[in-house]
Amino acid sequence: MTTRFEASLDFARGMDQHDHIHKLRNEFLIPAGETGELIYFCGNSLGLQPRKAREAIDQELRDWENLAIDGFVKAKNPWLNYQYQFCKPFSKIVGCQENEVTVMNTLTVNLHLMLLSFYQPAGQKYKILMESGAFPSDQYAVESQVRFYNFNPDDAIIEIGPREGEKILRNEDLISAIEENRNSLALVILGGINYYTGQILDMKNISETAKKADIAIGFDLAHAAGNILLNLHDWGADFAVWCSYKYLNGGPGSVGGVFIHEKHIKNLKVRRMGGWWGNDEKTRFEMKRGFIPKADASGWNISTAQVFNMAALKASLDIFERTSMPELRSKSIDLSGYLEFLLSRCAGEGKYEIITPKKPDMHGAQLSLFFPKNGRHVFKCLLDAGIVVDFREPGVIRVAPTPLYNTFEEVYRFFEVLQHVYDGS
Ligand SMILES: *Cc1c(COP(=O)(O)O)cnc(C)c1O
């Protein structure tokens, strides 16, 4: 097979020189290791700090200092409307209209709120379909929701996993499971990208299948938002939730994002948990009885905007605004493609296996490598070389070169360490 890549430092540096968004790396603070900047491949767990995050938080501190209560209307970014600043950048990141997206709370809380709105068990249709081995927080959320309605999780949750002897879930298996269980399913909830294997699910087809069968469909986009191209509105998903501290670099525990499809946002009858921030602004401060939700996704807001934590996210989304998801995705495909190319150069019997599907449209930035024998040792060698990745039992190292701040040279350095481990070269 011919390839456009070469396994050399010069080649990697050349790729960086030709990278149009290489300069955006300067917008991030790269942690200093003992022997120079770390090579940070953990943006899938916690994105790096935007250089301007501190100034953004300082701005709010100053406005609080100088304006106190008046900051709600007179701050540089009035706190009353703070959450609306995110609609435009997020609409581009998840592929939807600005009125279909909002920020509030954190991911798992939002997942619960969306389940309360869209999981509506009725008669025979009361089951929830999800992937087996979903992120624990999602498993706990779904389990506790079905218990909330007095169902037995063993009966009410249908889990779909890879076939015997396979590591990757097949989209066709998901689709046929949805079709086969159409009479008992009330809702399907899936991770757009699996946090462990890095696999992208076919969200378009899955959404269409669920909608045809009259089943609510939602996605957890924790590993997909800011990573791959999404088109939630056109796919017709009912809702999606994501956190903003992974590829979105909003900082630990930063505010979560929520998508609710247009077909629901104006329907004030869709049940939801009320709170004053979701109420129509015209009557919010009249403090009267009668909750009238806003007719957009922010009609699901409950409490006052979390200004400080949103400020850091804003600083990050301003960087996204200087590029575009197609441009980021295109670099990401090259970065992970280069990683895969290099990995294939030093692969060999019993060394490691890439468990992430190889086709570029089936994975985002992250590749997951399974080391049957010496995962912990390799992990330690990488750490010693200043390369930050993570290790998950039993022997999986997740490597996520992120296009906003990682370079081809860093990918090459990763390869050098692996070569050293195996060849001593
Ligand atoms: C990171 C992640 C979470 C984290 O949830 P929080 O409520 O933000 O702590 C949940 N689900 C998935 C799939 C994740 O990857």
Side-chain angles (χ1 to χ4, degrees), residues 44-45 106-109 111 134-138 191 193 195 220-223 242-246 253-254:
N44 57 338
S45 282
T106 41
L107 198 171
T108 312
V109 174
L111 178 56
F135 194 85
S137 201
D138 301 43
I193 293 191
Y195 78 100
D220 179 333
L221 301 177
H223 280 262
W242 57 95
C243 56
S244 54
Y245 47 80
K246 292 174 178 167
S254 73

Side-chain angles (χ1 to χ4, degrees), residues 133-324:
F135 194 85
S137 201
D138 301 43
Q139 293 186 41
Y140 305 150
V142 172
E143 177 196 323
S144 52
Q145 287 269 341
V146 301
R147 284 191 199 282
F148 182 79
Y149 294 95
N150 295 319
F151 298 124
N152 174 357
D154 293 336
D155 167 55
I157 302 174
I158 301 177
E159 289 191 358
I160 306 297
R163 293 184 190 179
E164 184 81 29
E166 297 187 1
K167 291 201 172 67
I168 294 301
L169 187 52
R170 297 192 191 201
N171 283 298
E172 71 252 36
D173 288 356
L174 265 176
I175 304 249
S176 52
I178 295 171
E179 282 166 347
E180 279 159 24
N181 294 289
R182 59 185 303 146
N183 296 326
S184 64
L185 282 175
L187 180 123
V188 174
I189 173 77
L190 294 163
I193 293 191
N194 183 279
Y195 78 100
Y196 187 72
T197 64
Q199 175 190 13
I200 302 178
L201 292 181
D202 183 353
M203 288 176 264
K204 176 172 189 282
N205 255 315
I206 292 167
S207 303
E208 284 166 5
T209 308
K211 290 333 294 172
K212 256 188 234 141
D214 195 23
I215 301 165
I217 167 82
F219 292 105
D220 179 333
L221 301 177
H223 280 262
N227 180 14
I228 58 169
L229 299 180
L230 298 164
N231 212 348
L232 291 175
H233 175 85
D234 288 351
W235 293 340
D238 293 294
F239 70 89
V241 288
W242 57 95
C243 56
S244 54
Y245 47 80
K246 292 174 178 167
Y247 294 100
L248 295 168
N249 318 305
S254 73
V255 68
V258 178
F259 159 86
I260 299 157
H261 199 277
E262 183 185 33
K263 62 194 169 207
H264 304 301
I265 56 179
K266 293 196 166 59
N267 180 357
L268 305 187
K269 295 214 178 74
V270 176
R271 63 187 189 182
R272 68 189 81 187
M273 301 296 116
W276 71 330
W277 235 246
N279 197 81
D280 192 344
E281 267 118 12
K282 290 196 272 307
T283 54
R284 182 193 293 165
F285 290 99
E286 291 175 10
M287 307 287 187
K288 282 204 290 233
R289 282 177 65 183
F291 172 53
I292 307 171
K294 288 182 272 185
D296 57 34
S298 71
W300 270 260
N301 291 169
I302 297 177
S303 294
T304 315
Q306 300 143 251
V307 168
F308 293 110
N309 113 12
M310 290 179 177
L313 177 61
K314 185 65 179 31
S316 172
L317 296 191
D318 286 347
I319 308 171
F320 278 85
E321 290 284 281
R322 291 173 55 187
T323 169
S324 65

Side-chain angles (χ1 to χ4, degrees), residues 2 23 25 47 83 98 113 166 173 175 206 222 269 275 324 331-332 363 386:
T2 56
K23 60 177 185 302
R25 173 180 169 84
Q83 61 282 6
E98 292 182 29
L113 294 176
E166 297 187 1
D173 288 356
I175 304 249
I206 292 167
K269 295 214 178 74
S324 65
K331 175 175 172 186
S332 178
H363 65 78

